[in-house]
Amino acid sequence: HLAMCHAVLGNADEALEAVMRGVLSAGQFLSPNEHVRADGSVAVPWFTTGVGAWLTGLHWMFARCDDNGDHLLDAVPESLREFQFHGLRLSRGVSAAARVSAGRLEYLSLSSPTRQAFTFEIPARFVEGTCLPRLGRVIDLDTHWRVQVDLLEGPNDLVTP
C-alpha cells in the first residue's frame, strides 16, 4: 500500500523503495504480505484473498515452514509423480527448487542469502536412492528424514541428476 501512496504523490524513489522492500518480504510464490510497515517489518504476514489461500495451499504441498521447522515435499500425494518448482520460500530467506520424475527426486537445490546451517524434513520416499544422506546429518524419523546441511550463500545443489 505504501508504494501506491508514494506513486500517487509522485515520489518515484520512495515508491520504488517500498516495492523493493515488499519483494524482499514476499511469501509463497513471491506473493506480497497484506501489510508491510514503512520500516520494512511485516505487520500482517499472510495474503487472505481467495487466490492467496489457493496459492498458499499449493505452496505448502511442496514447501512450508511452521513452528516445528521447514518441510519439503511433505504433502505431495504419491499419485503426483512428475513435477518441478523453483523459488518456493522456506525460513531464514532460504528458497527451494526441486524436480521429481517417475516419483523419484532428481534435483534439489536450496538457495540461501547467507552461509548458514539449515535443517529440513522430507518424506523418506524422496530421499531413498539419492546422495542426500551423505551431505549432512540425517535423522531417520521413520516416514520422514530430518536433514541438516551447511549452506553457502547462493544456490546449493544437494541432489543432481
Side-chain angles (χ1 to χ4, degrees), residues 2 20 24 32 46 55 57 69 76 79 85 97 132 135 137 144 153:
L2 189 58
M20 296 306 292
L24 294 175
W46 51 77
L55 284 174
V76 175
S79 61
F85 59 81
L132 196 55
L135 296 178
R137 291 192 334 216
H144 288 70
E153 182 177 342

Side-chain angles (χ1 to χ4, degrees), residues 10-117:
N11 301 332
D13 291 334
E14 290 86 350
L16 177 60
E17 181 182 341
V19 166
M20 296 306 292
R21 280 196 320 246
V23 170
L24 294 175
S25 72
Q28 299 89 321
F29 290 98
L30 294 179
S31 63
N33 291 290
E34 286 286 315
H35 182 77
V36 179
R37 294 182 187 99
D39 68 0
S41 62
V42 175
V44 185
W46 51 77
F47 190 58
T48 56
T49 65
V51 168
W54 184 85
L55 284 174
T56 298
L58 181 60
H59 187 279
W60 287 359
M61 285 178 60
F62 303 104
R64 70 179 172 84
C65 52
D66 60 23
D67 292 342
N68 296 316
D70 292 273
H71 310 271
L72 286 170
L73 312 179
D74 197 40
V76 175
E78 290 196 32
S79 61
L80 186 58
R81 300 181 49 76
E82 306 281 337
F83 61 87
Q84 64 182 3
F85 59 81
H86 177 78
L88 297 187
R89 302 292 288 267
L90 294 164
S91 69
R92 299 192 323 249
V94 173
S95 62
R99 182 176 57 252
V100 169
S101 181
R104 184 173 178 270
L105 181 63
E106 290 186 343
Y107 176 75
L108 176 62
S109 181
L110 298 178
S111 185
S112 178
T114 61
R115 203 179 159 109
Q116 63 179 307

